[in-house]
Amino acid sequence: MRVISAVLLAVLGGKANPTAADVKSILGSVGVEADAADVERLLKELEGKDIAELIEAGRKKLQSVPSGGAVAAAPAAGGAAAGGAAPAEAKKEEPSEEDEDMGFSLFD
């Protein structure tokens, strides 16, 4: 993740094709030592590709990934439409005296 961040920082800084030395310099400036194999592997994968296009392609892929909220809401809506019982209102929990006064004051 650090290597990817360093590459993105280099691109934002104006280097369209950052080198391993650029990445190591960025990471070294904050005291992080980069694994040379990781840096070379990432740069090899990015060779000849535009970072902005890769990010946009990733966003499109993420749009098709279902999220937890949508999946949980679908069965509840389907059950109500099929004539299921309406969900009961959630009870509001009233705070007990113990919760309100713990026997001391923060300002004593």
Side-chain angles (χ1 to χ4, degrees):
M1 209 56 177
R2 294 174 180 168
V3 176
I4 294 170
S5 299
V7 169
L8 291 174
L9 283 171
V11 170
L12 285 173
K15 292 261 188 180
N17 298 310
T19 64
D22 296 330
V23 173
K24 288 179 184 178
S25 172
I26 291 170
L27 291 174
S29 71
V30 293
V32 175
E33 198 170 310
D35 182 27
D38 289 341
V39 173
E40 290 299 326
R41 186 173 352 136
L42 178 63
L43 293 177
K44 185 178 176 183
E45 289 288 327
L46 295 176
E47 192 174 314
K49 298 177 183 174
D50 181 33
I51 296 289
E53 289 176 5
L54 291 174
I55 291 172
E56 185 59 34
R59 281 187 187 168
K60 288 180 182 176
K61 287 180 182 180
L62 284 175
Q63 289 176 349
S64 66
V65 175
S67 64
V71 174
E89 285 188 33
K91 290 184 180 180
K92 287 188 179 179
E93 218 176 287
E94 294 183 25
S96 67
E97 278 187 36
E98 289 179 2
D99 292 339
E100 291 175 9
D101 183 21
M102 299 183 90
F104 64 92
S105 173
L106 293 176
F107 303 106
D108 284 343

